[in-house]
Amino acid sequence: MSEIEHRVRQFIIDNLLFGDEAAAPAPETSFLETRLIDSTGVLELVHFLETEFSISIADHELVPDNLDSLRKIGALVTRKQPRRADPLAPSRSGAGEEAGDG
């Protein structure tokens, strides 16, 4: 389970399942099929995702393909977060400075 999935799972346990860890969903469990989250729960979940992960979810993204399981939510959040630079990649600014040092 990814870190995103873990954090969302904990939110669901704490806020929608009232602390019942035994009822927590597995990563692939469908929220619709199990009726885990109702319409109000979806709103709470979206608010959590937007604030916790600093993302914005548009109305057209509020579909089961994005929000029906921990795995799908993890993929959505990963897509929406800004790409981070590879810390091991060579710096572009360093190459330009060397060329100008002559």
Side-chain angles (χ1 to χ4, degrees):
M1 184 177 306
S2 74
E3 175 64 23
I4 292 169
E5 293 170 14
H6 177 74
R7 287 163 61 185
V8 173
R9 181 179 182 272
Q10 195 60 51
F11 169 81
I12 290 171
I13 291 168
D14 293 343
N15 296 280
L16 305 176
L17 297 176
F18 307 104
D20 184 3
E21 289 196 33
E28 298 290 338
T29 299
S30 168
F31 299 157
L32 290 174
E33 290 176 12
T34 59
R35 298 181 184 195
L36 180 68
I37 298 178
D38 61 13
S39 57
T40 303
V42 170
L43 295 176
E44 291 179 50
L45 177 62
V46 168
H47 181 263
F48 167 77
L49 296 173
E50 290 181 328
T51 56
E52 181 75 11
F53 300 105
S54 301
I55 61 172
S56 180
I57 301 173
D59 289 346
H60 72 273
E61 295 173 310
L62 300 176
V63 295
D65 282 345
N66 291 329
L67 299 170
D68 191 37
S69 70
L70 293 174
R71 185 74 27 92
K72 290 179 179 183
I73 291 170
L76 172 69
V77 171
T78 299
R79 282 193 314 271
K80 303 286 286 178
Q81 287 182 321
R83 302 265 186 238
R84 295 182 183 168
D86 182 354
L88 301 177
S91 171
R92 289 185 177 179
S93 62
E97 291 171 10
E98 290 174 16
D101 283 346

